[in-house]
Amino acid sequence: GKHWTVNEVRALIRIWSDKNIQQQLEGAVRNKRIFEQVAARLQKFGIDRDWKQCRTKYKNLKHEYKSVKSAQDSGNTSKSMKFFNELDAILGHCTIEQASKSDN
């Protein structure tokens, strides 16, 4: 398939950051229906991707994020990726919870 543009990935992450989508993804093993929703929402942005492309991109981003995150946790700050901060806001759950606790 054709490469994802920066705008397409941003749109995917924006949809992914929706609490409702996150909760569905966390509890799901078979997540085709969820990615069909994601693909439908991308279409509203004029982005034509099928659910498989969305799922693959989601998995790849998540995998890349995890490897960068674990590298950083072990002190390797040279490893980085595009969209790390956006993904960290979604996937770095414990840090979000810790931040909200310190707010109270």
Side-chain angles (χ1 to χ4, degrees):
K2 61 182 169 71
H3 280 297
W4 287 69
T5 66
V6 168
N7 283 343
E8 287 176 328
V9 177
R10 283 229 166 86
L12 178 69
I13 292 172
R14 195 175 305 137
I15 294 165
W16 180 4
S17 68
D18 181 325
K19 284 277 176 281
N20 187 9
I21 295 283
Q22 280 179 58
Q23 282 167 348
Q24 290 184 64
L25 284 168
E26 272 167 32
V29 180
R30 305 215 181 289
N31 49 20
K32 178 183 172 188
R33 274 203 359 265
I34 304 160
F35 285 104
E36 283 172 343
Q37 283 175 45
V38 170
R41 284 169 72 169
L42 281 175
Q43 300 232 274
K44 289 179 186 155
F45 293 117
I47 297 167
D48 188 27
R49 296 283 179 183
D50 65 27
W51 70 271
K52 276 187 183 146
Q53 289 171 310
C54 293
R55 187 176 66 183
T56 301
K57 190 63 183 171
Y58 160 82
K59 282 184 172 170
N60 291 346
L61 283 167
K62 204 168 165 179
H63 178 76
E64 195 183 350
Y65 165 81
K66 281 184 175 161
S67 70
V68 171
K69 184 80 169 168
S70 67
Q72 287 183 357
D73 288 348
S74 64
N76 176 0
T77 51
S78 64
K79 207 167 161 66
S80 182
M81 69 177 284
K82 223 177 200 156
F83 311 114
F84 180 81
N85 292 338
E86 291 96 320
L87 291 173
D88 200 41
I90 300 171
L91 295 170
H93 283 310
C94 51
T95 52
I96 293 169
E97 283 163 19
Q98 284 158 1
S100 65
K101 277 188 188 123
S102 63
D103 287 348
N104 295 345

